[in-house]
Amino acid sequence: MVASQVGASILAEGGNAIDAAVATGFALAVTLPQAGNLGGGGFMLIYLADENRTVAIDYREMAPSAATKDMFLNAQGEVDAGKARFSIQSSGVPGTVAGLVHVQEKYGNLSLKKVMAPAIKLARSGIRVTVALSESLSSHRRLLQSNAGAKQYFFKKDGADYAVGDVLKQRDLAASLKRISAQGAEGFYQGKTAELFLAQMERTGGLITQADLDNYAVVERSPICGDYRDHRVCAMPPPSSGGIHLVQMLNILEGWDLKGLGHNSADYIHRLVESMRRAYADRSQYLGDADFFPVPVETLINKDYGRVLRDKIDLDHASRSADIGPGLKRTPESTETTHFSVWDDWGNVVSNTYTLNFSYGSGIAVMGSGFLLNNEMDDFSARPGSPNGFGLVGGVANSIEAGKRPLSSMTPTIVFDPQGKPLLVTGSPGGSTIITVVLQLILNVLEFDMGIAEASAASRIHHQWLPDDVYYESGISPDTLRKLREMGHLVSDGAAVLGSTQSIQSNGKGVLFGATDSRAHGAGVAIQP
């Protein structure tokens, strides 16, 4: 909530949605160390009202130049999960700082120094430890205390946990933020912070070099857009799989009267699951960094392809994932991401999702800098056909290559009304569940006429092809679950918690409604004073 208030205060000082988003992003690096970050990366979708244009900002991490296809395989050719997820080599070249600075300097109204000032103050003066932060640090004690830097930054001098109400000061982080404020991206990728970063790499066998830091680049891409009935839906292109599969699933589902089936009825959920099953099967084969692999984007989001997939779905019986492969002709991710949405008085809209991957990334802090390293290299396919930390299976398209960006499920999204004006901005953390969570929130609004608070609170389900299980939240009726099992679905034994959307909705008459997901502890909606 503190970071949201920072963003609102920047709006009140004349900043636009981009300024507020950048201020929020840097503030979250202080207040939400498990996911807010300087050492990670992400995606941002921006709607520029004056230009009536939507741009996708890719600041995903990149594999260092020394990365190799087999770097996480052991002598037996199996994936070494510990090395892929919790070693210094699991870190990709961070993109967060470059991304936030890029959009602020190109699209913001205020100076970088002004939008970063609140984050620097929070880090230097300290933040009150909340219940959520105290519990998060305590539950990750083993990971964080195994690294000297993380132990120093997130526990008391005697190694004790921070209790609720304690003040957590992050002076090294404040210094790192101050260098960025004064020097822009160079204050992170060169100079003192880079020296500290590279020293950490050299001490512990990391791969990232000064050349890797120098070569990091933010990429502006065209968003993936598709029409769902009379609304336009835009989301991130590769290396995010979110936009393609969101549009793909909407294309499949568009052919049915979903509202007539009833929200979260067995027949409705059956159609959701079968659509998800086919999209995630395609994800395993065809998705990767489009700068390195020819992703068949136009085919995957084509309505005719959606119709082909829809026609193959048995409306009375569940498919088996073992029988469902990628639908096209074959050719020879942690839940502790964070998302925020911003909408300003000029009509500019920002949807931003960024992450360290797992909670606290690799758990390795750069000594002297105050920030943690990501473990995004695990989002590559260390061995085609082997699942990553979120159970997602990938293929050659997402294999490790120097300079490549790992595939992601992050799905910052903007939905436009029939007149082409923004109607809804949303996104979610949740690893592999992100795409399906965003899908259901959009359907709740567009198909079932829910307000954004109701749409955010409604119970969700998730399916991702493999493993062949349907996950569900409490609130799905026992009768519905029984019918799904009778149809042949492999329904999980217990309820899950799926995602945490942060959304803003327009009523089309200049009134905005914000909703923070009740599943998120410590999140909140902040309004410009």
Side-chain angles (χ1 to χ4, degrees):
M1 184 62 187
V2 172
S4 297
Q5 291 169 339
V6 165
S9 70
I10 290 295
L11 290 175
E13 293 182 40
N16 62 14
I18 294 86
D19 293 311
V22 172
T24 301
F26 280 119
L28 284 168
V30 182
T31 63
L32 193 72
Q34 62 266 48
N37 66 85
L38 298 186
F43 302 115
M44 183 181 290
L45 204 64
I46 301 174
Y47 173 72
L48 300 166
D50 285 350
E51 303 177 33
N52 191 28
R53 179 169 70 96
T54 305
V55 60
I57 308 297
D58 176 358
Y59 61 97
R60 181 72 160 151
E61 300 88 341
M62 296 171 65
S65 57
T68 61
K69 181 179 68 173
D70 300 331
M71 61 185 286
F72 295 128
L73 301 185
N74 60 23
Q76 291 73 45
E78 301 295 326
V79 177
D80 183 337
K83 186 177 182 182
R85 299 168 193 172
F86 301 111
S87 75
I88 191 72
Q89 294 186 10
S90 68
S91 179
V93 183
T96 292
V97 172
L100 295 182
V101 171
H102 172 87
V103 297
Q104 198 283 323
E105 291 180 342
K106 187 168 183 179
Y107 300 113
N109 285 345
L110 305 179
S111 68
L112 180 64
K113 183 176 182 180
K114 189 170 188 65
V115 300
M116 289 192 65
I120 295 169
K121 182 178 180 180
L122 286 169
R124 185 176 57 240
S125 301
I127 57 172
R128 290 284 177 185
V129 174
T130 62
V131 172
L133 180 55
S134 177
E135 291 179 350
S136 178
L137 289 171
S138 178
S139 65
H140 291 84
R141 158 182 278 272
R142 182 175 179 181
L143 170 69
L144 295 172
Q145 292 215 344
S146 66
N147 174 259
K151 181 178 180 180
Q152 173 185 320
Y153 293 138
F154 300 114
F155 296 90
K156 296 180 179 179
K157 289 184 179 180
D158 62 357
D161 293 340
Y162 279 97
V164 176
D166 285 346
V167 175
L168 171 61
K169 295 183 179 181
Q170 301 173 75
R171 293 185 179 89
D172 284 353
L173 179 57
S176 293
L177 289 166
K178 193 169 183 179
R179 287 190 285 271
I180 299 166
S181 173
Q183 303 166 41
E186 290 185 1
F188 182 85
Y189 295 92
Q190 299 176 20
K192 178 67 173 178
T193 302
E195 291 172 6
L196 294 168
F197 189 101
L198 297 174
Q200 184 74 38
M201 291 288 146
E202 292 167 6
R203 279 196 304 272
T204 54
L207 301 182
I208 298 174
T209 65
Q210 182 63 60
D212 291 320
L213 296 178
D214 291 341
N215 291 332
Y216 183 83
V218 178
V219 182
E220 293 199 2
R221 304 186 187 275
S222 297
I224 296 292
C225 296
D227 294 322
Y228 181 75
R229 309 207 194 282
D230 56 352
H231 290 79
R232 189 81 167 158
V233 178
C234 292
M236 285 301 303
S240 168
S241 59
I244 286 176
H245 296 311
L246 179 62
V247 171
Q248 181 183 14
M249 289 187 287
L250 288 170
N251 286 342
I252 298 171
L253 292 163
E254 189 178 41
W256 293 305
D257 177 12
L258 302 180
K259 189 172 185 178
L261 296 173
H263 184 259
N264 279 352
S265 67
D267 287 337
Y268 173 66
I269 291 175
H270 172 69
R271 286 162 173 77
L272 287 182
V273 170
E274 294 301 331
S275 300
M276 294 170 182
R277 192 191 310 273
R278 285 153 178 80
Y280 277 79
D282 281 351
R283 185 187 192 278
S284 73
Q285 179 78 10
Y286 306 118
L287 267 292
D289 185 343
D291 293 338
F292 285 74
F293 181 86
V295 179
V297 175
E298 295 306 319
T299 302
L300 290 169
I301 66 172
N302 186 278
K303 286 191 179 292
D304 287 339
Y305 181 53
R307 189 177 302 112
V308 169
L309 295 180
R310 181 171 60 249
D311 290 345
K312 292 180 179 179
I313 293 173
D314 184 330
L315 298 183
D316 298 312
H317 302 93
S319 304
R320 287 276 74 80
S321 288
D323 300 326
I324 301 294
L328 305 178
K329 182 178 179 181
R330 286 182 179 268
T331 56
E333 303 179 306
S334 150
T335 56
E336 287 293 353
T337 300
T338 190
H339 177 87
F340 56 86
S341 301
V342 187
W343 200 314
D344 68 26
D345 288 342
W346 296 285
N348 302 301
V349 178
V350 173
S351 181
N352 186 83
T353 313
Y354 72 161
T355 187
L356 287 167
N357 200 25
F358 294 172
S359 290
Y360 303 98
S362 64
I364 299 171
V366 175
M367 186 67 81
S369 74
F371 64 86
L372 291 158
L373 293 172
N374 70 78
N375 55 357
E376 294 291 1
M377 294 294 289
D378 182 59
D379 275 1
F380 284 113
S381 298
R383 190 186 72 173
S386 294
N388 70 1
F390 297 108
L392 288 171
V393 175
V396 173
N398 191 38
S399 61
I400 301 171
E401 294 182 61
K404 192 175 184 179
R405 299 169 198 249
L407 187 61
S408 171
S409 295
M410 291 184 283
T411 314
T413 301
I414 302 173
V415 178
F416 297 86
D417 67 19
Q419 288 72 48
K421 299 298 183 183
L423 172 72
L424 171 68
V425 54
T426 191
S428 177
S432 59
T433 71
I434 292 174
I435 310 171
T436 60
V437 166
V438 171
L439 170 73
Q440 289 167 88
L441 183 129
I442 291 172
L443 291 172
N444 289 347
V445 172
L446 300 187
E447 281 286 350
F448 297 99
D449 303 318
M450 294 184 189
I452 195 59
E454 182 184 7
S456 301
S459 299
R460 301 166 181 150
I461 63 95
H462 172 70
H463 186 79
Q464 62 181 51
W465 183 52
L466 294 175
D468 192 356
D469 295 306
V470 178
Y471 301 94
Y472 67 93
E473 292 187 320
S474 59
I476 306 293
S477 85
D479 286 343
T480 294
L481 297 174
R482 175 183 54 77
K483 185 173 181 181
L484 288 169
R485 291 187 174 101
E486 290 173 352
M487 296 171 81
H489 290 289
L490 303 177
V491 180
S492 62
D493 292 334
V497 177
L498 301 174
S500 175
T501 54
Q502 307 299 322
S503 312
I504 305 171
Q505 180 184 16
S506 169
N507 72 347
K509 300 177 182 178
V511 179
L512 301 178
F513 301 91
T516 188
D517 202 312
S518 58
R519 299 164 183 81
H521 300 292
V525 176
I527 302 172
Q528 176 182 338

